[in-house]
C-alpha cells in the first residue's frame, strides 16, 4: 500500500501502516460529514427559532425525500464496488466504464425521482400523519426538496465513485462547499439580514436547493477536469448505454437498494409512531436525531475507507490484507465510540440547550441522548463493517441485518413500547438501541465467517 513503514516479507502492511491508510482515507470523509452535520444542526437551530411547527414541517420531509435513495443506493454501491475491484486488478478502462455507466443510471433516475417527489410528496407527508397545523407548510417545503433531488443524486453518485477510487479528499471539497452555502444562505434568508426580508421556511427551502446546485456543479467539474483521476469519464461515451456493465453494477447494488428500501419503509412507519406522541415529543426526537447524526458520521467515515481498501485488495488477490484492515478498523471503531459516549452521558442537558429552551423538549432530548450513548459502539461498528462488506461485493447480509433490526426490532417492538405500553420517546429510542445492537452482532459474525472474501463482483 502507500505507507512507507516496514512491511512483512509477504507484503502485509504493518499495523502502523494500516492505521495510517485508514486515517488517510477516512479523515476527509469524517471532516466532510462532521461539517455537514454541524451545518445541518445549525439549519435545524435556525428553523427551530421559528417554533416547533416550522421544525416539524421541515423535519417530516426528511423521510419521504430519502425514498429516492433506495434506487440510487443500488447504483452508488454497485459503482463503488466495481470501481474499487477494477482498480485493484489494475484495469483502469473497466473502472472508467463503470464510472460512466453509474453516472448515466444516476442521471436518468434523478429526473424520474424529481418528478415523482414534486407531484406526490404531499401524499407521503399526509400518510405519515402530519397534523393540520403544519401540513401545508411541509408540502410547500417539499417542493424545494424535490427539485433538489435531481442535483443531490448526481453529486452523491460522483462522491461514491471517487471513494471507490480512494479519492475521498475530492468528494470532501464539493460537499463542504455545498453545506457552507446552505448555512450561509439559511442565515440570510430564514431570519433576514439588513435589507433582506425574513423568508422563514421559504428561505430554508431556497438555501438547501441552491446548496445542492452548487455541490452538483462542483462534483461534475472535479470529475471531468481532474486529469490524473483514474476514473475520469469520457463525455462522448457517457450517454452510450453498456447493458453488460449496468447489469454488473445493479447486480452488486440490488441488495443495498433493498436494504435501503427496508430501512426507509421502517423509518417511515416508525416516524408515524413518534408523530402521534405530540408536537413537543416529535420536535425533541428530531433535534436528538440531528445530534445522533454525528455518531453515524464517524462510522460512515471508517466505512468509506474500508469500501476502497477491501475492494482494491480483493481485486489484487490479497484477501488476507483485506481481513487485517477489517480487524484494525474495528479497533478504531471502539476508540471513537469511547470518546463519543462521554459527553452524551455527562452533559446531555447542555447539548440539548443549544437547540431549544423549552423545558419539556429538553427533558425528552436528555433521555434520548443517554439511550444513544448505549448504542454508539454497536452502530459505528455495524456501519463500518457493512462498508467493508459492500466493498467486497457482499451486500446480502447488510440487507438481512437491516430487515431484522429495523422491520423486526424497531417496528414490532416500537409498536408495543410506544403505542401499547406508552413509554413515550424513551420507548422509541430504546427500540433504536435494540435495532443497532442486533444488526451489529449479525454483521460482526458475517465478517468473522469470511465468506465475503469469495463474492464475485
Amino acid at each position: 500500500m502507500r505507507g512507507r513503514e516496514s512491511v512483512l516479507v509477504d507484503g502485509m502492511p504493518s499495523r502502523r501502516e494500516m492505521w495510517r491508510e485508514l486515517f488517510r482515507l477516512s479523515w476527509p470523509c469524517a471532516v466532510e460529514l462532521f461539517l455537514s452535520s454541524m451545518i445541518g444542526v445549525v439549519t435545524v437551530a435556525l428553523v427551530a427559532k421559528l417554533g416547533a411547527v416550522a421544525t416539524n414541517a421541515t423535519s417530516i420531509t426528511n423521510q419521504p425525500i430519502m425514498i429516492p435513495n433506495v434506487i440510487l443506493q443500488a447504483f452508488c454501491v454497485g459503482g463503488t464496488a466495481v470501481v474499487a475491484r477494477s482498480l485493484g486488478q489494475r484495469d483502469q478502462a473497466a473502472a472508467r466504464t463503470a464510472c460512466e455507466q453509474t453516472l448515466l443510471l444516476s442521471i436518468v433516475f434523478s429526473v424520474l425521482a424529481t418528478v415523482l417527489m414534486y407531484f406526490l410528496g404531499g401524499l407521503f407527508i399526509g400518510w405519515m400523519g402530519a397534523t393540520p397545523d403544519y401540513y401545508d407548510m411541509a408540502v410547500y417545503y417539499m417542493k424545494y426538496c424535490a427539485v433538489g433531488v435531481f442535483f443531490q443524486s448526481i453529486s452523491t453518485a460522483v462522491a461514491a465513485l471517487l471513494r471507490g477510487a480512494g479519492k475521498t479528499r475530492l468528494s470532501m471539497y464539493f460537499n463542504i462547499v455545498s453545506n457552507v452555502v446552505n448555512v450561509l444562505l439559511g442565515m440570510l434568508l430564514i431570519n433576514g439580514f439588513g435589507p433582506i426580508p425574513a423568508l422563514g421556511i421559504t428561505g430554508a427551502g431556497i438555501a438547501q436547493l441552491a446548496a445542492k446546485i452548487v455541490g452538483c456543479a462542483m462534483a461534475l467539474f472535479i470529475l471531468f477536469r481532474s486529469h490524473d483521476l483514474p476514473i475520469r469519464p469520457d463525455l462522448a461515451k457517457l450517454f452510450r448505454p453498456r447493458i453488460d456493465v449496468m447489469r454488473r453494477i445493479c447486480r452488486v447494488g440490488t441488495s443495498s437498494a433493498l436494504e435501503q428500501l427496508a430501512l426507509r419503509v421502517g423509518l417511515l412507519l416508525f416516524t408515524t409512531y413518534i408523530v402521534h406522541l405530540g408536537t413537543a415529543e416529535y420536535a425533541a426526537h428530531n433535534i436528538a436525531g440531528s445530534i445522533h447524526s454525528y455518531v453515524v458520521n464517524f462510522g460512515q467515515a471508517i466505512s468509506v475507507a474500508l469500501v476502497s481498501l477491501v475492494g482494491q485488495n480483493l481485486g489484487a488477490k490479497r484477501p488476507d490484507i483485506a481481513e487485517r484492515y477489517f480487524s484494525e478498523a474495528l479497533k478504531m471503531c471502539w476508540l471513537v465510540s469511547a470518546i463519543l459516549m462521554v459527553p452524551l452521558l455527562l452533559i446531555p442537558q447542555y447539548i440539548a440547550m443549544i437547540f431549544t429552551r423549552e423545558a419539556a423538549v429538553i427533558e425528552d432530548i436528555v433521555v434520548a441522548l443517554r439511550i444513544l450513548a448505549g448504542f454508539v459502539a454497536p452502530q459505528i461498528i455495524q456501519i463500518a463493517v457493512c462498508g467493508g462488506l459492500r466493498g467486497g461485493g457482499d451486500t446480502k447480509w447488510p440487507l438481512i441485518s437491516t430487515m431484522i433490526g429495523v422491520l423486526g426490532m424497531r417496528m414490532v417492538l416500537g409498536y408495543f413500547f410506544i403505542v401499547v405500553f406508552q413509554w413515550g420517546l424513551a420507548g422509541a429510542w430504546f427500540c433504536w438501541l435494540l435495532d443497532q445492537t442486533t444488526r451489529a452482532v449479525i454483521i460482526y459474525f458475517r465478517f468473522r465467517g469470511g465468506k465475503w472474501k469469495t463474492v464475485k463482483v
Side-chain angles (χ1 to χ4, degrees), residues 333-355:
C333 289
W334 280 111
L335 176 62
V336 171
S337 300
I339 295 171
L340 292 175
M341 288 174 64
V342 174
L344 294 174
L345 290 173
L346 298 183
I347 56 169
Q349 65 273 21
Y350 296 106
I351 298 174
M353 289 171 64
I354 296 173
F355 304 93

Side-chain angles (χ1 to χ4, degrees), residues 129-151:
T131 55
D133 57 339
Y134 64 85
Y135 173 80
D136 290 338
M137 189 182 297
V139 173
Y140 176 74
Y141 182 74
M142 172 68 95
K143 302 292 185 182
Y144 289 97
C145 296
V147 177
V149 167
F150 173 80
F151 301 99

Side-chain angles (χ1 to χ4, degrees), residues 140-424:
Y140 176 74
Y141 182 74
M142 172 68 95
K143 302 292 185 182
Y144 289 97
C145 296
V147 177
V149 167
F150 173 80
F151 301 99
Q152 184 67 43
S153 297
I154 296 173
S155 58
T156 298
V158 173
L161 293 166
L162 291 173
R163 290 166 183 166
K167 303 295 184 179
T168 55
R169 194 176 301 185
L170 294 178
S171 65
M172 175 186 71
Y173 295 147
F174 61 79
N175 278 305
I176 287 178
V177 171
S178 174
N179 282 283
V180 169
V181 169
N182 190 6
V183 73
L184 291 179
L185 281 179
M187 293 174 66
L188 291 174
L189 300 179
I190 293 174
N191 296 311
F193 181 80
I196 301 174
L199 299 179
I201 196 170
T202 300
I206 294 173
Q208 62 88 20
L209 176 57
K212 290 175 181 177
I213 293 173
V214 170
C216 179
M218 281 193 66
L220 291 175
F221 180 84
I222 289 173
L223 185 65
F224 283 96
R225 300 295 294 180
S226 299
H227 296 286
D228 60 341
L229 192 63
I231 59 169
R232 181 187 178 197
D234 184 343
L235 188 59
K237 297 179 180 179
L238 182 59
F239 293 97
R240 297 178 185 174
R242 284 282 305 275
I243 302 302
D244 56 329
V245 179
M246 287 184 176
R247 284 176 178 170
R248 186 183 181 194
I249 291 169
C250 292
R251 184 179 69 247
V252 175
T254 296
S255 293
S256 288
L258 293 175
E259 176 194 348
Q260 285 297 308
L261 176 62
L263 179 62
R264 295 306 159 195
V265 169
L267 291 180
L268 277 170
L269 296 174
F270 188 67
T271 300
T272 62
Y273 296 160
I274 300 171
V275 167
H276 288 97
L277 290 175
T279 301
E281 289 83 355
Y282 186 48
H285 174 73
N286 289 322
I287 292 172
S290 297
I291 299 166
H292 161 264
S293 66
Y294 285 103
V295 174
V296 176
N297 290 345
F298 289 100
Q300 292 286 6
I302 300 173
S303 171
V304 166
L306 281 178
V307 166
S308 178
L309 293 169
V310 170
Q312 292 189 28
N313 278 291
L314 289 179
K317 309 298 183 184
R318 290 306 304 265
D320 54 334
I321 297 179
E323 185 170 15
R324 278 288 302 279
Y325 271 115
F326 261 120
S327 299
E328 296 305 320
L330 284 174
K331 296 173 186 176
M332 187 177 287
C333 289
W334 280 111
L335 176 62
V336 171
S337 300
I339 295 171
L340 292 175
M341 288 174 64
V342 174
L344 294 174
L345 290 173
L346 298 183
I347 56 169
Q349 65 273 21
Y350 296 106
I351 298 174
M353 289 171 64
I354 296 173
F355 304 93
T356 181
R357 295 291 177 177
E358 298 181 42
V361 177
I362 290 175
E363 184 178 351
D364 280 331
I365 293 173
V366 169
V367 172
L369 294 185
R370 284 183 171 151
I371 296 174
L372 170 60
F375 64 85
V376 166
Q379 181 156 31
I380 288 180
I381 288 171
Q382 71 93 0
I383 289 175
V385 176
C386 279
L389 294 179
R390 293 187 186 104
D394 186 358
T395 56
K396 179 180 178 181
W397 278 89
L399 165 63
I400 294 173
S401 70
T402 297
M403 293 186 68
I404 294 174
V406 175
L407 299 182
M409 294 293 175
R410 207 182 303 191
M411 284 307 308
V412 176
L413 295 182
Y415 176 79
F416 285 99
F417 292 172
I418 300 171
V419 179
V420 178
F421 301 152
Q422 297 185 351
W423 288 356

